[in-house]
Amino acid sequence: MYRLIKPIFFQFDPENVHHFVVQRLKWFNDYFPFGKTILRSSFGVHIKGLEREVFGIKFKNPVGLAAGFDKNGEYIEALSNLGFGFIEVGTVTPLPQPGNDKPRMFRLQDDKALINRMGFNNKGVDTLAERLRILKQKDPTLVVGGNIGKNKNTPNEEAVNDYIKCFDRLFDVVDYFVVNVSSPNTPGLRELQEKEPLTLLLKTLQDRNHKNGISRPILLKIAPDLTNEQLNDIVDIVQTTGIAGIIATNTTIDRDGLYTPEKISKEAGGLSGKPLAKRSTEVIRYLSERSKGSFPIIGVGGIHSAEDAKEKLAAGASLVQIYTGFIYEGPGIIKNICKGLLS
């Protein structure tokens, strides 16, 4: 069915279509008679043998939804009923911010890709925290990750304070944290990936993490555009600070080898989807081999099929996340990947 309606959706602005679809998904899940049951029976993953425990958390299956799709945690329950093993919300910032000017998302259909320059548009950490508090009371079995960042107007030398605010506010309502310093759409943000500021940021959060005898896994989301030398630094930082692991990778600023005409493919922003698949797998494999598998990796980037997911897992990932593949392949992709992983 999705193949029939996708061409219609793809005639309209991708950001507008996104909001249209998820709002109706939420309505169907929350208010349509037997809506939850229909979603679970049609798309839910009820397959044994997919469960796994990673950084102390039990996942019912290894296929998650990457950050950016549900920035404000408004659609978690409905999305979970589509079969995701875990959902990552955000990126969230301390204060609400509108993000970059529209249009800020573009489809590259010939490449099965997206370019976005959203700019951390979100309603702020207080709104997200309250929504997650209610959700966790309703269904504590949901595995939710909190992806945190800094406000656009916060200078890098004060960025650690923004991450602390988000960390403290979400601590009681998320299962794990993701520190996002790799988005290309917030000016200067990627400078925080350099060894000295990144070590300071992660050490500060880790000190806070162990303060009250309870801790949450902290992961670092990195860019695919890092050199091997920079990846070596990332391995050292993970091992020095003791964070739980890595998410590899965020979107790329590289535009090599695209089929889509330059009018669209040269738009500023981060590229996701099929063109990212090879590089993200290379980064996963490099980190896994360099670290000798000493920390878990969540693989994301260009996963559109079970074979794509298998490549990430074979390269050293413990879990995978999808975003662009979900848009291009439809909601059946989660179940298809999970079935494929057992074949």
Side-chain angles (χ1 to χ4, degrees), residues 156 159 163 179-183 188-203 220-223 225-238 240-241 243 253:
N156 278 1
Y163 287 93
V179 176
N180 188 352
V181 291
S182 53
S183 170
L189 184 71
R190 285 190 169 190
E191 295 172 9
L192 295 175
Q193 289 183 120
E194 296 300 324
K195 192 167 187 177
E196 186 176 342
L198 184 55
T199 301
L200 174 62
L201 171 59
L202 295 177
K203 276 187 174 180
L220 173 68
K221 189 165 187 175
I222 63 171
D225 309 305
L226 300 178
T227 65
N228 285 352
E229 183 179 5
Q230 289 173 312
L231 291 175
N232 293 344
D233 286 343
I234 293 296
V235 172
D236 290 342
I237 291 168
V238 173
T240 298
T241 60
I243 65 168
I253 57 175

Side-chain angles (χ1 to χ4, degrees), residues 43-173:
F43 301 105
V45 177
H46 310 289
I47 306 171
K48 293 184 178 180
L50 290 169
E51 303 86 356
R52 57 189 62 191
E53 184 171 329
V54 185
F55 40 79
I57 298 174
K58 294 182 179 179
F59 297 85
K60 62 183 179 182
N61 72 64
V63 183
L65 180 64
F69 196 93
D70 187 7
K71 293 177 182 291
N72 300 300
E74 297 171 286
Y75 313 107
I76 294 173
E77 187 178 16
L79 290 166
S80 294
N81 287 334
L82 295 181
F84 285 109
F86 60 107
I87 290 175
E88 193 172 305
V89 295
T91 298
V92 67
T93 55
L95 300 176
Q97 60 182 30
N100 295 322
D101 293 338
K102 298 179 182 180
R104 52 193 181 183
M105 181 177 284
F106 308 89
R107 298 186 195 92
L108 286 68
Q109 295 190 49
D110 292 339
D111 295 287
K112 283 196 168 184
L114 295 172
I115 290 174
N116 92 81
R117 52 172 181 262
M118 305 301 288
F120 289 175
N121 56 308
N122 72 102
K123 296 179 181 179
V125 71
D126 288 336
T127 297
L128 176 61
E130 180 59 21
R131 187 170 285 131
L132 292 180
R133 183 187 66 80
I134 295 171
L135 181 70
K136 281 290 190 176
Q137 289 178 344
K138 185 177 180 181
D139 187 356
T141 66
L142 293 173
V143 177
V144 179
N147 188 302
I148 59 177
K150 79 174 188 71
N151 281 111
K152 181 178 181 179
N153 294 330
T154 301
N156 278 1
E157 55 269 23
E158 299 175 16
V160 65
N161 296 323
D162 277 15
Y163 287 93
I164 287 172
K165 289 174 185 175
C166 292
F167 185 84
D168 288 350
R169 192 69 180 86
L170 294 179
F171 188 86
D172 292 328
V173 292

